[in-house]
Amino acid sequence: MKKLLCVLLAMTMLVGSLFIFCSCDEKDKKKDKETTDEVKEVEVPAPPKGYSLYEDEYVAFVYPTGWKERDMPNGIGGSMFQDLLTGNNVSFAVEVKSDLYKTMTVETFNSMIKPSLDAQNMSVSNVKIEQVKNKLGFEITKISYSATGKGVTVKQVIFVIPSGSYNYAIYVTEAKKVDGLLDTVFESLVAKK
């Protein structure tokens, strides 16, 4: 679990385009689907004006219309949605479901993640972790912090929502604040399984 958190952290520190996408192989997905996923009918609301919908078989969320979809580097696969002018982005990571985020504290964050940030000459401040529920009724772990490196400070909020056999972590990274972005992404989050 520590290794996954270190990889997750390293990817989130890319200034202007913090992201990560960790996925299980197709064999694991097929096995998980056959053995542990319960299919439930979940209505995905239409995106609000100015936003587009990302949806797969496990989750749905919105991102600003006009942000460019970019492939993840290094053959990781997946996409992120980025404002090419500011570097702001919305992206996601997937990992096997666990209670790590439901029980995470600032102390846990500092002991597991902060040393990796320190090693990258990144400073982290204003770490806050809370369990919240959006207006659609989904329980979500919200992890927020500011990261500074090479003279640039970004605000990152990670919304972790369990769906089926996975935890989806939706990252909202802002180098320049966008009014309403965090709330709109948060309120649109849907776990489909």
Side-chain angles (χ1 to χ4, degrees):
M1 191 57 71
K2 268 189 168 181
K3 182 177 178 181
L4 177 63
L5 285 175
C6 289
V7 169
L8 188 71
L9 176 65
M11 296 302 289
T12 61
M13 291 301 101
L14 294 173
V15 175
S17 61
L18 305 177
F19 60 88
I20 186 170
F21 178 87
C22 298
S23 65
C24 297
D25 63 32
E26 288 303 314
K27 180 180 174 187
D28 288 342
K29 285 184 181 179
K30 190 178 276 187
K31 180 182 173 193
D32 289 344
K33 187 172 185 175
E34 291 171 357
T35 60
T36 60
D37 286 346
E38 293 181 19
V39 176
K40 59 183 177 181
E41 294 295 321
V42 177
E43 184 178 332
V44 176
K49 184 177 181 178
Y51 285 83
S52 298
L53 180 68
Y54 171 83
E55 181 177 17
D56 66 19
E57 66 181 292
Y58 290 92
V59 300
F61 60 88
V62 299
Y63 62 92
T65 299
W67 283 20
K68 183 170 175 51
E69 184 173 0
R70 300 187 61 188
D71 292 332
M72 298 297 224
N74 303 322
I76 294 173
S79 298
M80 72 177 216
F81 307 95
Q82 183 176 34
D83 178 349
L84 297 178
L85 296 175
T86 64
N88 291 350
N89 65 74
V90 176
S91 57
F92 65 91
V94 182
E95 64 185 48
V96 175
K97 189 175 188 177
S98 73
D99 288 334
L100 174 67
Y101 300 101
K102 286 186 177 186
T103 59
M104 184 175 271
T105 64
V106 172
E107 292 77 23
T108 307
F109 178 94
N110 287 337
S111 69
M112 296 179 82
I113 297 175
K114 193 170 182 320
S116 296
L117 290 168
D118 292 341
Q120 297 174 57
N121 295 318
M122 300 292 296
S123 63
V124 174
S125 59
N126 304 319
V127 176
K128 186 174 180 182
I129 301 168
E130 56 189 320
Q131 302 301 315
V132 293
K133 190 181 279 192
N134 70 6
K135 68 181 179 185
L136 299 172
F138 292 100
E139 294 181 6
I140 298 167
T141 302
K142 179 181 178 183
I143 304 166
S144 60
Y145 58 91
S146 296
T148 303
K150 297 183 182 179
V152 176
T153 300
V154 296
K155 168 85 173 177
Q156 185 163 66
V157 176
I158 307 168
F159 299 116
V160 182
I161 184 169
S163 184
S165 300
Y166 302 99
N167 282 337
Y168 270 69
I170 291 76
Y171 295 76
V172 179
T173 305
E174 295 179 286
K176 182 176 180 181
K177 183 163 177 50
V178 176
D179 288 336
L181 177 62
L182 284 173
D183 289 338
T184 303
V185 173
F186 171 71
E187 295 299 352
S188 74
L189 278 167
V190 172
K192 296 174 64 178
K193 294 188 179 200

